[in-house]
């Protein structure tokens, strides 16, 4: 009788081996069939799909002692060492000296919980009831090996206690076994012949004409291939590249600059007063190094801060300190880069942007990290106006896929007027995304810039969270492998 099954030679081989072995582990099966374990198991799974074999998986739960658990298994639990080491009420202070402060600390909590002692005014008073607990019995049974709950004779509560105290860890052992089914036995009994099957045709076979006599392995289009996780850009990097592309497409030049900046470029050139709260230690990473101040601008900036220079501005008043201005900081915004670029390129037109990292002393939480990216940009030209600024930002957000954009009035020491752009996101409402404005003359005049400058500094990670649907910013930097695998390869 011709078998009605379409099976490969590997499957036949495994089936025949199984018929002889009955039930076998993957290793035994592979040995008998003379195959690699993976090949034998692949065949076994195919046989299982056809109802000719069965693959069983059993999981046994095991527990193993941790280093701490092993230590206590041989020396005794801290509470046991303490209760046996004292003969009557003992002050905590003495316990810390008799044992280590660590052992004394762990022990007292457990002595009280187990009812072996009471703590009265800092004195440990034994109750006289220190019988061997189930945890101690279980600990003694490990004997350096992985054990099942049965071997430990331990109930779920005792095991949970050992896990909670980090004295033991849970392990799972998976065992597979393969057996032949009644249908499989029937097929073997009907006599199957192992024929060589060809899975891949070679040019030799074609040239010699040998292919005509060969038996080819049927192609199974129903088997699922293993997922392939192709190499791809990090989703955050992909968005950063997209933002960069948008500004390049709009005719902007990208600028790069140092992470370490003098306070002069980070704050003073931007007309931030020297006693501005943003400069405080708790907000800014200050470095112990200093930078030389640019001779051509320093006096102008000083005059502007102190009394407004030769403009009608009053400045901030007081004395401007060179010593404060030379102190280096990790740039708190990328505006330090664009202002310096403008000072070096005062001739219009200028359209420049930077997408790079900035640093602030933030407490890490789902929406704050001390390092984050900003998308900074400036446009300087003869007749630039506030309306051009709003148009430019709107265009950028539209290209990023946000239809509704609006601007709220804002405040920055270096711009007037100032705005905070917001985009509308379904389910979240209006989300604020950074700052923008037209540079004040207090900023442009000392640097010799004669034309209006539109400027903005946008939050990149916030935008990325919205685009990637994340609730926690930290995910962008943690690169969880499952998240990376699930993320799209390219923009849809
Ligand atoms: N530097 C501002 C953003 C900004 C840049 C340029 C002009 C106005 C505002 C910030 O970090 O929040």
């Amino acid at each position: 009788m011709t078998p009605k099954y379409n099976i490969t030679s590997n499957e036949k081989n495994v089936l025949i081996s199984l018929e002889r072995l009955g039930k076998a582990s993957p290793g035994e099966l592979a040995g008998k069939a003379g195959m690699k374990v993976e090949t034998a198991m692949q065949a076994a799974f195919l046989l299982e799909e056809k109802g000719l074999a069965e693959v069983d998986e059993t999981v046994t739960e095991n527990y193993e002692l941790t280093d701490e658990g092993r230590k206590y298994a041989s020396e005794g639990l801290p509470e046991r060492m303490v209760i046996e080491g004292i003969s009557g009420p003992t002050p905590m202070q003495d316990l810390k000296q008799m044992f280590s402060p660590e052992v004394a600390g762990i022990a007292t909590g457990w002595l009280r919980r187990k009812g072996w002692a009471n703590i009265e005014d800092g004195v440990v008073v034994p109750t006289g009831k220190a019988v061997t607990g189930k945890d101690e019995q279980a600990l003694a049974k490990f004997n350096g090996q992985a054990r099942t709950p049965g071997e430990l004779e331990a109930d779920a509560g005792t095991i949970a206690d050992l896990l909670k105290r980090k004295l033991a860890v849970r392990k799972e052992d998976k065992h597979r076994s393969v057996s032949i089914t009644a249908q499989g036995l029937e097929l073997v009994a009907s006599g199957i012949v192992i024929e060589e099957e060809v899975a891949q045709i070679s040019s030799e076979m074609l040239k010699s004409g040998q292919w005509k006599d060969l038996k080819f392995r049927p192609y199974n289009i129903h088997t699922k291939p293993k997922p392939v996780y192709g190499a791809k850009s990090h989703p955050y990097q992909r968005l950063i590249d997209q933002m960069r592309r948008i500004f390049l497409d709009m005719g902007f030049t990208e600028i790069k600059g140092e992470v370490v900046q003098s306070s002069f470029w980070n704050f003073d050139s931007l007309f931030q007063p020297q006693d501005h709260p943003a400069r405080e230690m708790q907000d800014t990473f200050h470095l112990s190094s200093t930078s030389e101040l640019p001779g051509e601008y320093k006096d102008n900036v000083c005059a502007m801060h102190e009394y407004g220079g030769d403009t009608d501005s009053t400045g901030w008043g007081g004395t401007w300190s060179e010593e404060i201005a030379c102190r280096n900081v990790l740039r708190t915004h990328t505006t330090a880069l664009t202002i310096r670029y403008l000072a070096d390129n005062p001739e219009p037109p200028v359209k420049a942007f930077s997408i790079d990292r900035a640093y602030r002393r933030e407490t890490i939480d789902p929406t704050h990290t001390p390092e984050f990216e900003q998308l900074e940009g400036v446009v300087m030209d003869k007749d630039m106006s506030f309306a051009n600024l709003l148009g430019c930002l709107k265009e950028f957000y539209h290209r990023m896929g946000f239809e509704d954009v609006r601007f709220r009035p804002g405040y920055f020491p270096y711009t007037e007027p100032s705005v905070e752009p917001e985009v509308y996101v379904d389910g979240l409402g209006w989300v604020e995304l950074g700052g923008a404005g037209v540079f004040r003359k207090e900023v442009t005049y000392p640097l010799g810039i004669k034309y209006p400058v539109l400027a903005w500094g946008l939050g990149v990670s916030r935008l990325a969270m919205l685009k990637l649907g994340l609730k926690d910013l930290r995910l962008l930097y943690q690169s969880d492998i499952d998240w990376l695998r699930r993320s799209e390869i390219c923009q849809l």
Side-chain angles (χ1 to χ4, degrees), residues 92-133:
M92 281 287 291
Q93 264 337 85
D94 296 358
L95 278 192
K96 285 190 192 151
Q97 272 164 16
M98 291 166 69
F99 307 92
S100 66
E102 199 204 347
V103 169
I106 304 176
T108 39
W110 287 99
L111 284 172
R112 200 167 28 188
R113 245 207 257 176
K114 291 184 172 178
W116 294 0
N118 294 315
I119 319 288
E120 293 161 15
D121 292 336
V123 179
V124 178
V125 186
T127 57
K129 290 184 270 184
V131 286
T132 308

Side-chain angles (χ1 to χ4, degrees), residues 21 66 302 467 477 489:
L21 292 169
T66 59
C302 169
K467 293 297 286 180
Y477 301 96
I489 290 182

Side-chain angles (χ1 to χ4, degrees), residues 145-161:
Q145 307 232 304
R147 302 285 183 191
T148 64
E151 287 168 336
L152 295 174
E153 292 172 35
D155 54 37
T158 308
I159 290 190
D161 282 345

Side-chain angles (χ1 to χ4, degrees), residues 385-396 405 407 419 436 454:
S385 71
F386 183 57
N388 295 120
L389 172 69
L390 306 190
C392 198
L393 292 175
K394 253 193 188 162
E395 180 61 24
F396 166 70
V405 184
F407 300 93
V419 287
L454 317 178

Side-chain angles (χ1 to χ4, degrees), residues 171-193:
K171 288 248 153 83
E172 277 188 355
D173 276 347
K174 280 192 189 147
H175 296 284
R176 274 187 181 152
S177 66
V178 191
S179 50
I180 191 161
T181 62
Q183 276 179 73
L185 282 173
E186 210 177 288
L187 180 61
V188 177
S190 73
I192 45 177
V193 201

